[in-house]
Structure formats: structure tokens, C-alpha cells
Amino acid sequence: MMAKDYYLVKRSFYMKTLVTGFLVIIAIVSMAGMVMADIPDLVGNWTGPYSEYNGDTGFNEQETGFFFLNITEQKDRIIIGHTRFADTGTDVTREIAGIISADGTQLSITEENNGYSTGRIIGPDEIELTYLDDKEPISVAIDQFFRIP
């Protein structure tokens, strides 16, 4: 083998190794970006309209200012706080705890002695939740929350 051929083979090997290494680094960085989603900060006060069905009272819609969600603490993907609403003229407050999905787009909440909500984090200042309660009387609701500045 001539020196020139040896040089070309060696150079080709180094180029293939360099390109392969570069592609591996790009793949690792891309995968890390997919795994490490931005978890939104949900701490704050939220309110908005809702629609519900209750086995005792039937269908109901409220446009504003009736149902409040106050998220007081967040550690990574776990949130805690309370809800506040009026029930036949009585102000009711319930503790809540919830989990933000790993991709930062979904939210699941349990309300103390009062059912579960799941939904989407639409943006930094908007959440939509669906509520389910199988206690008698059964109850379901669609809640749209906007962050209160």
C-alpha cells in the first residue's frame, strides 16, 4: 500500500469517527431536552367560569367569581393549596393537592373529601379541569381557571 492510500484510509476513518461522535452527542442532547420539560409555576390565585351537573340541583353555569383555586406551594411537580366556593350561601374551603404531568401539560388534583379533577394546563395563566365526584348526589363539572394578577 502506498503512503498516499494509507493517508486517505486513515483520514476517512477519523472523519467517520468524528461524524459518528457528533451524531451521538446530538442524539443525547435531543433526548435530554425531551425528558426535561419545563414544569409551569402554578402558585397563585385562580378563578373563572364553570359548568356543572349535580344529581340534586341539575345543570348549572356560573360565569365569574364563584369558584376560586389558591395554589399556595409547589415543589417540582407537586402542588398544594385550597379551593373556596359558596354552597347555598355558605363559604366553603377545602384543601387540595395535585400533580403536574412530567411533560408539564396536564394537572390532576384531589380535593379533601370531595372528588377529583384532571385537566390541561393551557398556558401560564389558564387551566381547564374536569371534576368528578361519585358520592351521592353525583356531580361533574368543567372548570376554566384564569390566574388572578
Side-chain angles (χ1 to χ4, degrees):
M1 183 187 284
M2 296 176 52
K4 184 178 177 184
D5 292 337
Y6 176 75
Y7 173 75
L8 289 176
V9 168
K10 191 174 183 180
R11 183 175 174 190
S12 175
F13 172 76
Y14 287 128
M15 288 301 292
K16 287 179 185 177
T17 303
L18 182 64
V19 169
T20 302
F22 183 70
L23 291 174
V24 167
I25 290 171
I26 289 175
I28 290 171
V29 169
S30 296
M31 288 174 27
M34 287 187 291
V35 171
M36 299 185 64
D38 289 333
I39 302 303
D41 179 7
L42 300 182
V43 172
N45 295 307
W46 302 76
T47 191
Y50 74 91
S51 299
E52 74 172 340
Y53 171 80
N54 181 290
D56 279 349
T57 58
F59 290 96
N60 184 28
E61 289 187 28
Q62 187 75 26
E63 291 298 319
T64 58
F66 178 78
F67 191 76
F68 295 92
L69 175 63
N70 183 346
I71 299 173
T72 56
E73 289 184 55
Q74 179 174 339
K75 183 172 180 179
D76 300 320
R77 296 174 32 218
I78 298 175
I79 62 167
I80 60 170
H82 62 270
T83 60
R84 187 172 56 87
F85 57 93
D87 186 14
T88 61
T90 304
D91 197 31
V92 177
T93 301
R94 291 203 172 102
E95 298 298 314
I96 60 112
I99 298 174
I100 300 169
S101 65
D103 66 0
T105 63
Q106 306 291 315
L107 180 61
S108 299
I109 293 177
T110 183
E111 210 175 300
E112 183 180 30
N113 300 317
N114 199 47
Y116 305 90
S117 295
T118 60
R120 297 181 309 134
I121 300 167
I122 297 170
D125 298 320
E126 185 177 358
I127 300 169
E128 181 183 87
L129 296 174
T130 56
Y131 167 79
L132 302 167
D133 190 355
D134 64 353
K135 292 185 307 191
E136 195 173 316
I138 63 170
S139 176
V140 296
I142 302 168
D143 302 309
Q144 190 172 8
F145 289 103
F146 298 96
R147 192 185 302 261
I148 301 171

